[in-house]
Amino acid sequence: MKNLVKSRPRIALYPGSFDLLTNGHLDLIRRGQQVFDQLFVAVGFNDAKSSMFTIEERLDVAKEITAEYDNVEVVKLEGLTVEFAAKCEAQFIIRGLRAISDFEFELQLALMNHKLNASIETIFLAADPKNIFLSSRVVKEVWRHGGDVSDFVPPAVFRLLTEKREELLKKLN
Ligand code: ADP
């Protein structure tokens, strides 16, 4: 039988602001690194959202959390996502879909990225049902009002939230 497997490694970029990184993000990273040969987790900033953690804190915590995966690299997202993906030699962008409410924005983004660079495919991964209600914004709100968020974020994020509580609360106010 002929070997039809392509030898080119499949590389994906998972971009996001990850402010803060939840178990929903981590699930996508875990599944992404199983599907692709190499996965770049690209931590960027979002103009529309003021961030709670600095870019350095978000990079450091993402590195710590993903250290167990030897095909995952955490990088700082700079410039246009598709251009950055091309620089990383990624042929795929992965994004998560939780509910219909994500769909409109994510589709718009995927179509725009396709228009900008048709050789990069956006692949959507459906959220695990147990993470469907998890968003950085909601977890931040619960935490800010004293709720226990330890079930929603990786231990490294929870530790940072505890250690820097006062400083972070000032930023949110
Ligand atoms: P952005 O700042 O671009 O909205 P986020 O850091 O909030 O990025 O999220 C990055 C990606 O991860 C988005 O595609 C988002 O839909 C996805 N995502 C966020 N939370 C979850 C979750 N609980 N389950 C699955 N995907 C998620």
Side-chain angles (χ1 to χ4, degrees):
M1 219 177 4
K2 252 198 319 186
N3 183 358
L4 301 174
V5 178
K6 289 184 186 164
S7 56
R8 189 173 171 208
R10 291 178 174 255
I11 305 173
L13 184 87
Y14 177 28
S17 31
F18 305 107
D19 183 50
L20 43 73
L21 199 152
T22 69
N23 287 338
H25 294 125
L26 183 55
D27 181 54
L28 247 66
I29 294 170
R30 187 188 56 76
R31 288 157 61 201
Q33 62 81 34
Q34 284 175 342
V35 174
F36 297 98
D37 297 307
Q38 190 176 356
L39 178 69
F40 287 100
V41 176
V43 181
F45 72 84
N46 185 332
D47 282 335
K49 306 176 188 167
S50 57
S51 66
M52 177 161 89
F53 289 113
T54 65
I55 184 81
E56 287 74 24
E57 285 168 333
R58 282 179 279 143
L59 284 163
D60 286 348
V61 85
K63 281 178 192 165
E64 184 179 338
I65 290 164
T66 58
E68 64 178 293
Y69 304 119
D70 55 12
N71 62 341
V72 173
E73 192 175 334
V74 175
V75 289
K76 183 173 170 185
L77 175 59
E78 277 164 319
L80 270 180
T81 305
V82 275
E83 282 178 8
F84 190 79
K87 269 191 219 155
C88 297
E89 296 184 30
Q91 311 96 321
F92 304 96
I93 289 174
I94 66 167
R95 297 285 290 179
L97 287 178
R98 282 158 293 190
I100 307 273
S101 50
D102 277 342
F103 182 77
E104 198 176 340
F105 173 69
E106 291 291 345
L107 180 67
Q108 200 177 29
L109 205 62
L111 294 177
M112 175 56 86
N113 284 337
H114 186 264
K115 183 87 191 142
L116 294 170
N117 186 339
S119 69
I120 296 177
E121 282 292 346
T122 299
I123 308 281
F124 294 109
L125 297 182
D128 185 307
K130 72 175 186 298
N131 297 324
I132 224 139
F133 62 95
L134 280 182
S135 74
S136 302
R137 189 180 57 81
V138 168
V139 174
K140 273 187 242 178
E141 274 306 296
V142 171
W143 171 79
R144 176 191 190 165
H145 292 104
D148 178 7
V149 297
S150 58
D151 279 349
F152 311 140
V153 296
V157 173
F158 188 70
R159 197 191 60 227
L160 207 57
L161 285 171
T162 310
E163 280 171 10
K164 301 203 163 191
R165 183 165 182 93
E166 295 311 314
E167 188 190 321
L168 293 170
L169 279 175
K170 271 189 215 143
K171 271 199 194 175
L172 289 178
N173 290 325

